[in-house]
Amino acid sequence: MSQQRSSLVSSSDPGPRTTDPSRFLAACRRQPVDRPPAWIMRQAGRYLPEYRATRAEAGSFLALCRNPELAAEVTLQPIRRFGFDAAIIFSDILLPLAPLGVHFAFPDEGGPRIEAPLARPEEWEALQPPADGVGTSFVAEAISRVRAALPADVALIGFCGAPWTLASYLVEGGTSREHAAVKAALFAHPAELGALLLRLADAMALYLRQQVAAGAQAVQVFDSWAGALAEREYAEFVVPALARLLAALDDLDVPRILYLGGGAHLVGAVASLPIDVLGVDWRTDLTRAALATGKAVQGNLDPAVLLSSPDAVSRATRRMTAAAPPTGYIANLGHGILPHTPLAAVTAFLDAVRGGQ
Ligand code: CP3
């Protein structure tokens, strides 16, 4: 392992200097880089044996998220092992909902559960954004710990859930395939659901500002369930909430990334948002997304590719990077890495991005 690691480190020599000390931040700003920066969504997670050990030490996933020392440790683990170009702070999109009075749990199977899903407009109105930083200071503390420990050229990404994806969890009560309850709520009570999205936008803007104040150098807004909506509804209800969230960060000098899950049909709808980078999944063509938006793009290897052989991972990754725009491109998967992914697949992915095999 240590031999492998040192060869990774030497192959990540900075090469031609960019105007930015971080390859990742330069690519976000569409400045020239020697090679595409690479990181992986959910790079700190169960596919890593050291993550499983720290999670066991913490006792539970939520305890791990709320312990700044251990959250910082698991954020750094994939950087140490693989030398990714960016770290993403270890947390979950639901954690900043706790200060709004939402109770949830992360059972071992089946994803997060909201204890009392919010089905009625009166319940949505009761959710009010907390004062800046209230109830999430553990995230800020983990961020300052990570920033202090990271090499200068590895950028630290803060994140939040997008209003629509959070609303899906709040109304559905958990991860949903059809999103039928939240969509029914939108069609039955458009004004009230629209207002909920705006309230969530305000709360997430405060949360991201807190993360940037603590040391996050870029922010990513995860709209994982964007693709559940047609373009018409996305443009009418979701884009205004995203615009409000993103505009509230205008005065901060940090790149803004929007991740659009299943959103090939939504690229046009988000093109006018104040974002620097559009993250897409494997259903969306990277170059078409770049041309349609004029933004940097991030993605988009199907995480299932990493369950094949290292050779197949290399081939698919090289095909992806060869077709990606030459500037303004960040290599990533199209969604989070799957828990049973072999470590060798991650190495094959990174070697291929770095111009190795
Ligand atoms: O990327 C990272 O390394 C940072 C950590 C991170 C987690 N969740 C940790 C996590 C991030 C960025 C998230 C975001 C998140 N959480 C999203 C948006 C990204 C996406 O994947 O679409 C969503 C939809 C959630 C909600 C959520 N949290 C789900 C659906 C699950 C269960 C999924 C699963 O794999 O079991 C979680 C739990 C979760 N969040 C885990 C991790 C590492 C697994 C928890 C464990 O260790 O048992």
Side-chain angles (χ1 to χ4, degrees):
M1 177 87 269
S2 64
Q3 209 180 355
Q4 196 180 27
R5 199 181 303 166
S6 63
S7 76
L8 285 180
V9 169
S10 64
S11 75
S12 66
D13 267 354
R17 283 317 313 168
T18 63
T19 50
D20 211 297
S22 146
R23 193 180 277 120
F24 169 83
L25 293 173
C28 288
R29 300 187 167 112
R30 294 195 293 150
Q31 294 165 354
V33 286
D34 55 335
R35 62 155 175 85
W39 68 283
I40 287 183
M41 290 185 278
R42 296 276 180 95
Q43 63 192 15
R46 284 163 297 178
Y47 75 105
L48 285 178
E50 57 270 38
Y51 169 82
R52 296 195 297 268
T54 311
R55 186 186 187 281
E57 184 189 333
S60 72
F61 172 68
L62 270 178
L64 175 55
C65 290
R66 290 186 166 129
N67 179 321
E69 197 180 338
L70 295 182
E73 165 59 21
V74 293
T75 303
L76 293 164
Q77 284 170 350
I79 309 303
R80 285 192 208 112
R81 184 186 274 270
F82 296 114
F84 289 111
D85 293 294
I88 182 162
I89 190 63
F90 187 81
S91 186
D92 194 83
I93 57 167
L94 297 187
L95 281 153
L97 298 179
L100 280 72
V102 178
H103 299 282
F104 46 79
F106 285 83
D108 284 338
E109 297 292 325
R113 301 300 318 165
I114 306 283
E115 272 171 30
L118 309 184
R120 300 192 325 271
E122 307 83 80
E123 295 169 313
W124 307 338
E125 270 158 39
L127 284 188
Q128 291 299 333
D132 199 351
V134 169
T136 45
S137 58
F138 54 88
V139 177
E141 195 187 328
I143 285 175
S144 30
R145 282 172 179 266
V146 173
R147 190 55 270 168
L150 273 180
D153 61 348
V154 179
L156 177 55
I157 305 170
F159 75 89
C160 71
W164 167 251
T165 289
L166 293 174
S168 174
Y169 279 97
L170 288 172
V171 175
E172 302 281 344
T175 304
S176 164
R177 179 190 288 262
E178 306 291 344
H179 304 276
V182 68
K183 286 203 263 181
L186 174 67
F187 291 117
H189 309 287
E192 292 84 352
L193 197 98
L196 170 66
L197 296 177
L198 293 174
R199 262 198 299 282
L200 290 168
D202 289 341
M204 292 310 114
L206 289 175
Y207 180 54
L208 288 182
R209 292 186 70 87
Q210 178 194 21
Q211 294 183 49
V212 171
Q217 296 154 293
V219 292
Q220 177 155 327
V221 177
F222 282 95
D223 211 353
S224 303
W225 311 136
L229 288 176
E231 184 179 10
R232 179 188 299 271
E233 279 75 32
Y234 200 81
E236 186 174 348
F237 296 100
V238 179
V239 169
L242 286 169
R244 176 133 147 184
L245 198 180
L246 294 158
L249 314 175
D250 269 345
D251 59 317
L252 307 176
D253 185 27
V254 295
R256 290 166 279 190
I257 309 169
L258 173 65
Y259 169 72
L260 213 48
H265 59 300
L266 303 175
V267 168
V270 301
S272 61
L273 285 171
I275 54 173
D276 302 277
V277 184
L278 182 63
V280 296
D281 71 20
W282 57 95
R283 304 165 187 95
T284 307
D285 182 80
L286 285 168
T287 299
R288 241 180 279 156
L291 289 173
T293 59
K295 318 284 186 192
V297 287
Q298 174 176 279
N300 67 345
L301 194 71
D302 188 332
V305 171
L306 270 61
L307 306 179
S308 64
S309 68
D311 273 358
V313 173
S314 300
R315 274 198 306 277
T317 307
R318 276 188 275 118
R319 202 159 48 212
M320 169 182 79
T321 55
T327 54
Y329 172 57
I330 299 157
N332 204 318
L333 304 184
H335 205 165
I337 189 168
L338 297 164
H340 42 300
T341 301
L343 298 170
V346 176
T347 307
F349 169 78
L350 285 173
D351 283 351
V353 173
R354 290 167 176 154
Q357 339 221 294

